[in-house]
Amino acid sequence: MNKLSLIIKREFLAKVKNKSFIVMTILSPLLMVGMMALIVFLNVKNAEEIRTISYIDESHQLESIFKDSELTKYINLEKLGFEKAKEITLESYYGFVHIPKTDNLENLSKGIAFYSEDAPNLNVIQDLERKIEHKIRDLKIEKLHFDIEKIKEAETDVAIATETFAGEKSSKMGSVLKMIAGGAFGYLIFMFIIIYGTSVMRSVIEEKTSRIIEVIISSVKPFELMLGKILGNAFAGILQFIIWIISASLLTIAISAFFGVDLMGSSPSMQASQEMVGQMQQSATSDIQAMILEIKNLPLMTLFLSFIVYFFGGYLIYSSIYAAIGAAVDSETDTQQFMMPVMLPLIIAIYVGFGVIENPHGSIAVAFSIFPLTSPIVMLMRIPFGVPWWELLLSMALLLVTFIGIVWFAAKIYRVGILMYGKKPTYKDLYKWLKY
Amino acid sequence: MNNLLEVKNISKSYGDFKALNNVSLAIPNQSIFGLLGPNGAGKTTLIRIINQIIMPDQGEVLLDGEPLKPEHISQIGYLPEERGLYKNMKVGEQALYLAQLKGMSKSEAKKRLKYWFDKFDIGSWWDKKVQELSKGMAQKVQFIVTVMHQPKLLIFDEPFSGFDPINANLIKDEILQLKDEGATVIFSTHRMESVEELCDHIALIDKSNKILDGKLDDIKREFKTNSFQVGLQSENESLLKEQLENNFKISTATFKSLENDLKLNITLNNGDTSKELLQFLNQHAQVTHFTEIIPSASDLFIKAVQNNE
């Protein structure tokens, strides 16, 4: 068997048989889905809680806003007086709203206070504020002798349909989808580079500290060993991601099915409003149809192909740098000084990635999607929004050139570094090694 | 072909540091060749060049008359001084992997490994992880993976480190047997007694230069000073000493003997032979001890390095 494939096989098996790999592979999807389930569960629980809020409206102008809704009940405690009402609320209600006595509408908005045992839920306060604002506005309008009904008739809902010059229709949901698609691919590459780049580095350090390295490179070229290590780890990583995707989707389906049944059975309010559910389902199905349409509109083929190019390009560039770092040092604690400059472009790429979502064709986004150390992440985030061919080709060409340059450079450092023990190298030493 | 390996005018620098300066060696077929030198002299660099781990700046290395090629890797077995094994890998798996990297097929490697594991009686280690083995046990495995592909040229750098005397002997016998079966051995060590025991030829490298090279016996002959260690009994020791001092260079010697005799090192004058010395001694005293002082490998080493200062 060819030596390179022997090395790849060994590195792959060494990684896959490792206990932490197995634990991570099995536990991560469980953790992820478990977290999701927990969040959903807590939200549902939170929303189901019925709050009772007491109030005293000394102005008697805003009483009409305290109408009971499904999850919030209001109790008027005016007869008890301010102090007593506060005491009672502390014992048995969620919170207490006090509206001071005033005739002036301007002053009305200023003296309102909310008392509660703990800091109140932000949604509750916002809801109250909105209701009060509306009510005061209506009161003011009334005072000016305008007809509220007519004003309401004059209001219009506007939704601007957006379309590119090429005739592609886009929508807000489309943009969200593009963000998610680009973001997901970009993050995937980011995570993969960090997790598996570090793993390549560890494996190089392990060979150095166990002193097997000289035995191995008396049989194979250092470059073959480095390449085999990088590829072996990549295959282990791809396997891990495949397992994660499959098991996470299976688990999500299983859990949502479980929760779905559970929720339907235990929530009486949902059964009560069958009609509403029906309507929601209808709008949900049309949403899903729209979403499928949008997904079809994404440049899927380009996205997929460039994902593969940028995935391998980015991973190979960074993991060979990681391999060189591993070769240069004696132990993992010595890697810090070299790690920072490697992490920097990756972190910048992720930050620029956030900006890309706001403005996919801005000059910063374009520059970083062409710069080869950040392009694997930034370009993938841009692609769903449509990228001109020349930019894509330029970016890929630069990636290829950089890839060849960096691998050459890393291989040189690697070749010398693996046989160096003792002294912690400086950047100057690394530069000297290039010339050995 | 008389020489299995010929090193011709090799130079190698690391930046400003010259690790090897125009070094040439010829290593005869089926010999044990001692490559000696102080720490940092350039031995390891030379060995790495022979193993094609690093490339020389100048010069070439011929194996069996051919310039070194990547295919020659399978004909060389190298036991580096800095050696180890993958700690988390099983012994058998690891040995198979290393054998395959040397170009053996899997089935052939299994057969050879079985032979060696049986020979060292360590078959039960096959499924053990290396981290479960003691240092000496791991060294045995390491020795096996060095020799299992039956290379023509074996290079051992401090092969006995980590072995107890029993196992060191075992390994020494294996090295001698491999030589008898046709292998050529390059042997680098600081243990001079094993050089004495094993090596036919030696070369000494100091400060990047070769300063000594040849058959061990020839070099010893070259380095001997025509000195003799003698034990003498006489009525009047001080008179005897005086007489000797007039004719030869003498100094006090220490060695063990049964008699309470006068112990001296006597160096001959140029042109004199041992015959004349013995005649002289017999005339003046009773000789209880008489041996020529032959320099040991250790003496050669120290003398040569000191001369090179």
Side-chain angles (χ1 to χ4, degrees):
Chain A
M1 214 192 303
N2 170 332
K3 285 180 186 176
L4 182 63
S5 56
L6 274 170
I7 298 169
I8 293 175
K9 195 175 134 204
R10 196 209 81 84
E11 294 294 333
F12 176 80
L13 288 177
K15 181 80 195 162
V16 170
K17 281 183 185 170
N18 192 312
K19 280 198 193 81
S20 68
F21 178 89
I22 298 172
V23 171
M24 275 285 284
T25 309
I26 294 171
L27 275 190
S28 292
L30 283 177
L31 272 176
M32 246 158 55
V33 174
M35 288 266 283
M36 263 160 53
L38 189 70
I39 290 169
V40 169
F41 178 75
L42 287 180
N43 271 338
V44 167
K45 256 275 174 292
N46 213 15
E48 273 177 354
E49 200 184 334
I50 295 173
R51 295 192 185 91
T52 309
I53 295 173
S54 60
Y55 67 92
I56 294 179
D57 181 4
E58 290 170 8
S59 72
H60 298 288
Q61 301 208 55
L62 300 176
E63 274 163 338
S64 64
I65 65 168
F66 299 109
K67 261 187 245 151
D68 288 359
S69 68
E70 211 172 283
L71 297 173
T72 319
K73 306 269 181 263
Y74 295 99
I75 290 181
N76 190 344
L77 295 180
E78 198 172 357
K79 284 168 201 158
L80 295 173
F82 181 70
E83 292 303 326
K84 189 82 182 154
K86 259 167 84 174
E87 261 173 54
I88 288 199
T89 302
L90 183 62
E91 275 164 30
S92 38
Y93 304 130
Y94 181 78
F96 167 57
V97 185
H98 178 251
I99 302 167
K101 189 172 174 64
T102 174
D103 290 329
N104 186 332
L105 280 176
E106 288 305 323
N107 291 341
L108 182 58
S109 61
K110 282 168 191 152
I112 302 171
F114 186 92
Y115 303 89
S116 60
E117 194 179 357
D118 305 313
N121 185 324
L122 208 60
N123 288 333
V124 171
I125 300 299
Q126 279 174 345
D127 187 47
L128 275 172
E129 282 173 348
R130 195 174 43 81
K131 281 179 179 161
I132 294 170
E133 279 164 14
H134 279 242
K135 184 67 195 172
I136 294 178
R137 192 194 57 175
D138 287 355
L139 289 173
K140 283 183 178 170
I141 290 171
E142 224 171 276
K143 210 175 161 191
L144 292 167
H145 305 292
F146 291 145
D147 188 345
I148 295 176
E149 290 306 312
K150 288 217 164 123
I151 287 175
K152 277 189 179 155
E153 267 171 39
E155 280 169 2
T156 324
D157 257 345
V158 179
I160 297 176
T162 54
E163 194 170 331
T164 65
F165 287 115
E168 252 177 75
K169 287 210 171 58
S170 57
S171 65
K172 263 192 215 155
M173 187 160 64
S175 295
V176 171
L177 258 178
K178 285 170 182 175
M179 265 162 55
I180 293 175
F185 279 132
Y187 266 111
L188 195 64
I189 290 187
F190 176 73
M191 292 222 326
F192 196 91
I193 286 176
I194 290 191
I195 297 177
Y196 284 91
T198 318
S199 152
V200 167
M201 186 179 77
R202 283 215 189 94
S203 154
V204 173
I205 294 175
E206 190 212 329
E207 277 175 359
K208 255 189 106 170
T209 50
S210 71
R211 299 287 196 266
I212 194 174
I213 188 71
E214 198 164 347
V215 176
I216 302 268
I217 56 168
S218 66
S219 310
V220 299
K221 290 199 197 78
F223 182 71
E224 274 178 302
L225 180 61
M226 185 177 105
L227 196 64
K229 202 173 269 305
I230 288 172
L231 292 179
N233 272 289
F235 291 141
I238 291 169
L239 177 73
Q240 188 172 47
F241 274 97
I242 290 173
I243 293 175
W244 280 355
I245 289 167
I246 292 175
S247 54
S249 22
L250 285 180
L251 273 173
T252 314
I253 291 168
I255 286 187
S256 61
F258 175 75
F259 262 86
V261 171
D262 192 9
L263 284 178
M264 286 297 180
S266 69
S267 159
S269 62
M270 278 221 177
Q271 282 173 343
S273 49
Q274 274 298 337
E275 206 176 314
M276 249 178 70
V277 172
Q279 270 176 359
M280 268 169 59
Q281 272 175 349
Q282 226 173 22
S283 72
T285 46
S286 69
D287 272 0
I288 288 169
Q289 279 169 349
M291 196 148 77
I292 290 170
L293 252 165
E294 287 292 346
I295 290 174
K296 276 187 183 162
N297 273 343
L298 286 179
L300 283 180
M301 204 56 196
T302 318
L303 196 59
F304 182 70
L305 288 178
S306 11
F307 174 71
I308 290 180
V309 170
Y310 284 107
F311 176 83
F312 277 102
Y315 171 72
L316 287 174
I317 284 179
Y318 278 98
S319 59
S320 47
I321 298 177
Y322 274 110
I325 294 176
V329 301
D330 277 2
S331 72
E332 226 179 309
T333 45
D334 289 346
T335 57
Q336 248 76 345
Q337 60 164 334
F338 299 115
M339 289 293 273
M340 193 53 209
V342 181
M343 291 294 291
L344 206 62
L346 286 174
I347 292 166
I348 289 175
I350 284 291
Y351 274 102
V352 171
F354 286 129
V356 164
I357 288 164
E358 303 265 308
N359 184 6
H361 302 297
S363 52
I364 290 182
V366 172
F368 279 96
S369 65
I370 289 171
F371 180 62
L373 290 181
T374 51
S375 64
I377 293 167
V378 180
M379 187 56 103
L380 270 180
M381 289 183 163
R382 280 187 67 204
I383 285 175
F385 297 97
V387 174
W389 275 106
W390 69 267
E391 279 181 17
L392 201 58
L393 286 178
L394 176 65
S395 161
M396 284 186 180
L398 274 176
L399 187 75
L400 183 72
V401 171
T402 314
F403 159 65
I404 292 168
I406 292 222
V407 168
W408 174 84
F409 163 89
K412 282 212 139 184
I413 289 185
Y414 179 83
R415 206 190 58 185
V416 179
I418 44 177
L419 294 172
M420 294 280 178
Y421 291 106
K423 199 171 143 260
K424 193 172 149 188
T426 60
Y427 284 104
K428 207 175 143 199
D429 292 329
L430 296 189
Y431 175 70
K432 271 196 216 153
W433 291 359
L434 290 180
K435 293 187 287 188
Y436 279 7
Chain B
M1 185 60 54
N2 261 337
N3 295 324
L4 180 74
L5 189 82
E6 282 181 55
V7 173
K8 289 187 168 167
N9 309 100
I10 292 282
S11 294
K12 173 77 188 173
S13 300
Y14 298 114
D16 296 332
F17 174 71
K18 194 137 205 177
L20 286 175
N21 181 24
N22 201 22
V23 171
S24 298
L25 290 176
I27 293 164
N29 219 336
Q30 224 180 332
S31 67
I32 297 185
F33 190 98
L35 186 61
L36 314 178
N39 294 322
K43 285 172 298 176
T44 305
T45 301
L46 180 60
I47 290 175
R48 284 179 182 165
I49 287 172
I50 296 170
N51 277 295
Q52 305 181 59
I53 291 172
I54 48 183
M55 295 294 132
D57 297 338
Q58 271 163 25
E60 60 170 352
V61 179
L62 304 180
L63 183 75
D64 251 348
E66 286 176 60
L68 276 183
K69 285 185 302 219
E71 297 82 73
H72 284 137
I73 281 171
S74 62
Q75 297 177 20
I76 301 178
Y78 174 36
L79 184 67
E81 185 180 5
E82 294 282 3
R83 53 185 175 254
L85 296 163
Y86 287 113
K87 292 199 173 60
N88 291 320
M89 235 174 144
K90 286 178 182 162
V91 172
E93 256 173 52
Q94 179 146 227
L96 271 181
Y97 172 62
L98 293 171
Q100 283 174 285
L101 286 187
K102 280 282 182 192
M104 292 174 93
S105 74
K106 200 168 180 177
S107 56
E108 197 191 341
K110 266 191 182 153
K111 224 168 65 193
R112 291 294 305 164
L113 281 172
K114 188 171 176 343
Y115 165 81
W116 278 103
F117 274 58
D118 286 349
K119 188 163 185 176
F120 283 176
D121 201 18
I122 57 171
S124 60
W125 297 359
W126 188 271
D127 279 328
K128 275 194 184 169
K129 282 189 176 175
V130 172
Q131 59 193 4
E132 298 168 49
L133 303 183
S134 73
K135 192 171 179 208
M137 291 158 93
Q139 293 292 322
K140 268 191 190 173
V141 176
Q142 197 107 45
F143 180 82
I144 292 176
V145 299
T146 309
V147 302
M148 68 188 156
H149 57 292
Q150 294 168 295
K152 281 188 206 165
L153 178 64
L154 282 162
I155 303 175
F156 296 112
D157 200 345
E158 295 292 356
F160 303 123
S161 72
F163 281 118
D164 59 46
I166 297 171
N167 281 315
N169 254 334
L170 181 81
I171 296 299
K172 194 183 75 192
D173 291 343
E174 289 303 331
I175 292 175
L176 286 171
Q177 198 187 334
L178 285 166
K179 177 198 152 189
D180 290 341
E181 285 165 9
T184 305
V185 179
I186 296 177
F187 178 44
S188 172
T189 184
H190 289 131
R191 287 197 185 182
M192 289 304 151
E193 72 280 5
S194 46
V195 173
E196 206 86 57
E197 258 178 292
L198 291 172
C199 296
D200 315 311
H201 292 73
I202 62 161
L204 186 63
I205 294 179
D206 184 33
K207 293 184 194 143
S208 324
N209 290 287
K210 183 181 79 177
I211 57 173
L212 204 61
D213 179 13
K215 274 195 170 165
L216 186 57
D217 294 348
D218 293 346
I219 295 175
K220 282 186 171 180
R221 232 166 256 137
E222 195 183 307
F223 269 72
K224 74 175 186 181
T225 51
N226 275 344
S227 298
F228 296 84
Q229 203 170 54
V230 297
L232 302 167
Q233 278 185 330
S234 160
E235 313 267 291
N236 190 342
E237 284 191 356
S238 53
L239 178 70
L240 177 62
K241 250 179 144 174
E242 209 173 292
Q243 284 171 330
L244 280 168
E245 251 168 1
N246 290 336
N247 291 290
F248 308 98
K249 255 185 275 169
I250 64 164
S251 61
T252 321
T254 46
F255 54 87
K256 273 188 182 162
S257 73
L258 293 172
E259 317 297 331
N260 182 21
D261 45 10
L262 180 64
K263 301 183 180 81
L264 294 173
N265 285 331
I266 302 177
T267 307
L268 297 181
N269 298 316
N270 277 344
D272 284 0
T273 65
S274 60
K275 201 172 165 189
E276 283 144 9
L277 175 63
L278 258 178
Q279 270 173 359
F280 182 92
L281 291 176
N282 276 329
Q283 275 167 22
H284 297 84
Q286 195 185 340
V287 178
T288 54
H289 180 98
F290 189 89
T291 33
E292 180 168 18
I293 299 173
I294 297 168
S296 67
S298 174
D299 296 335
L300 298 180
F301 185 100
I302 294 167
K303 222 171 204 170
V305 171
Q306 274 169 352
N307 289 345
N308 193 39
E309 285 292 322

